[in-house]
Amino acid sequence: MARTRFPADRGLASRMVVTMFLLGLLYVVFVAIIIALGTSAIVALLLAGGLLAVQYFTSDRIALAAMGAKVVSRKQAPELHAVVDRLCAMADMPKPRVAIADADMPNAFATGRSPDHSVVCVTTGMLRRLDEPELEAVLAHELSHVAHRDVAVMTIASFLGLAAALVVRFAFYAGLFGGMGRRGNQQGPPVVLVIMLVSAVVYGVSFLLTRALSRYRELSADRAAATVTGRPSTLAAALVKVSGEMSKIPTRDLRTAEPLNAFFFTPALANGFSLSSLFSTHPPLQRRLDQLARIEAESGPAT
């Protein structure tokens, strides 16, 4: 973790290490199976590796583009910059770039591969709905993600699952055009089916590992923000307000934003069934509020 005043979270650090180790082990086995099958699907893995490198080094720009956000100067958003400046001074950490997304959905996120290469973004809907102390609490939550470096870990972990999906597609089209049939005259299932089955298992395990890590990191960021600002109840108030306002956002806008849920302050969930609601990237709202209430009780009222 970066050396800042955000409290170190050994539970988060250990979970990040375990998640990356298990994912790495999973993909070593994955690559070994594909090589053993003697298929050209290894090309897909090399392609996925290249795409991973691109995403890792450009994750901030990709996220901003997905939200239609723009980096703003101090002159363009003096109040927002002032809040970020104050928090970075309190936390003794490098100041990230500051961006605003023109969206009514009240939300915020941070992304980037390191504290020196990061960006924190808020939507115009968030700026309209929260007062300054609430906004400060939300931004403290987001900055803790940067300080703990869990944003970079989630970027890598999330992409590894997509690599398996890429191999499934590659194997399907290769099999469709005759590039992956049976190995010689040996009996057994077609190689393409084996590749697709293994890839599906890898994707499923990756999905579950990243969801478990994502839920814990949100609780960790809430704790860190409450500690640095000294106002757990303010963060709780922001959570309640933002979650309540989210139900007023058109379903189409929420579904469009769902791919970025793992990075949002609160998830953009539309009514009805979806994988995002079934395997949420965030812990239940009540669990987050209960944790903040315990911190408030242990620390006493803010002065």
Side-chain angles (χ1 to χ4, degrees), residues 192-215:
V192 63
L193 294 182
V194 176
I195 293 291
M196 293 181 70
L197 178 61
V198 172
S199 299
V201 172
V202 169
Y203 178 80
V205 174
S206 300
F207 183 88
L208 295 176
L209 285 173
T210 54
R211 285 302 186 270
L213 175 61
S214 181
R215 288 190 290 270

Side-chain angles (χ1 to χ4, degrees), residues 57-276:
F57 288 104
T58 64
S59 59
D60 51 350
R61 281 172 281 178
I62 292 173
L64 292 179
M67 282 297 295
K70 295 182 179 180
V71 173
V72 293
S73 66
R74 188 185 305 274
K75 183 176 181 180
Q76 292 172 307
E79 297 86 358
L80 180 58
H81 269 271
V83 174
V84 176
D85 284 335
R86 184 164 62 250
L87 286 169
C88 289
M90 291 166 60
D92 190 22
M93 66 179 290
K95 181 183 178 182
R97 288 174 296 151
V98 179
I100 295 177
D102 186 13
D104 188 45
M105 177 187 66
N107 231 320
F109 66 90
T111 186
R113 64 182 185 273
S114 72
D116 292 317
H117 300 86
S118 61
V119 59
V120 61
C121 176
V122 296
T123 65
T124 52
M126 176 81 80
L127 294 174
R128 285 196 302 271
R129 290 172 172 88
L130 299 189
D131 59 30
E132 186 171 307
E134 291 169 340
L135 179 63
E136 182 179 80
V138 170
L139 289 175
H141 170 106
E142 296 305 327
L143 289 175
S144 76
H145 285 312
V146 175
H148 287 144
R149 297 181 183 269
D150 58 72
V151 173
V153 171
M154 282 299 298
T155 297
I156 297 173
S158 298
F159 188 82
L160 289 177
L162 295 179
L166 178 64
V167 172
V168 170
R169 180 171 296 184
F170 182 91
F172 174 77
Y173 286 114
L176 186 65
F177 293 105
M180 289 185 184
R182 298 182 184 275
R183 288 180 293 177
N185 295 320
Q186 296 179 12
Q187 297 298 316
V191 170
V192 63
L193 294 182
V194 176
I195 293 291
M196 293 181 70
L197 178 61
V198 172
S199 299
V201 172
V202 169
Y203 178 80
V205 174
S206 300
F207 183 88
L208 295 176
L209 285 173
T210 54
R211 285 302 186 270
L213 175 61
S214 181
R215 288 190 290 270
Y216 186 89
R217 70 191 279 269
E218 293 303 327
L219 292 171
S220 175
D222 285 346
R223 291 193 296 270
T227 299
V228 166
T229 63
R231 295 192 298 270
S233 59
T234 303
L235 180 57
L239 272 168
V240 171
K241 183 180 291 187
V242 171
S243 298
E245 291 292 319
M246 199 70 71
S247 62
K248 303 176 183 178
I249 304 302
T251 298
R252 181 181 61 182
D253 294 345
L254 293 177
R255 292 199 182 280
T256 300
E258 278 187 2
L260 284 175
N261 269 347
F263 300 96
F264 281 147
F265 172 64
T266 54
L269 295 177
N271 292 327
F273 174 81
S274 71
L275 281 180
S276 295

Side-chain angles (χ1 to χ4, degrees), residues 6-23:
F6 280 110
D9 190 323
R10 293 185 178 180
L12 176 62
S14 63
R15 281 169 172 79
M16 289 193 295
V17 170
V18 169
T19 298
M20 293 308 296
F21 174 78
L22 291 176
L23 285 172

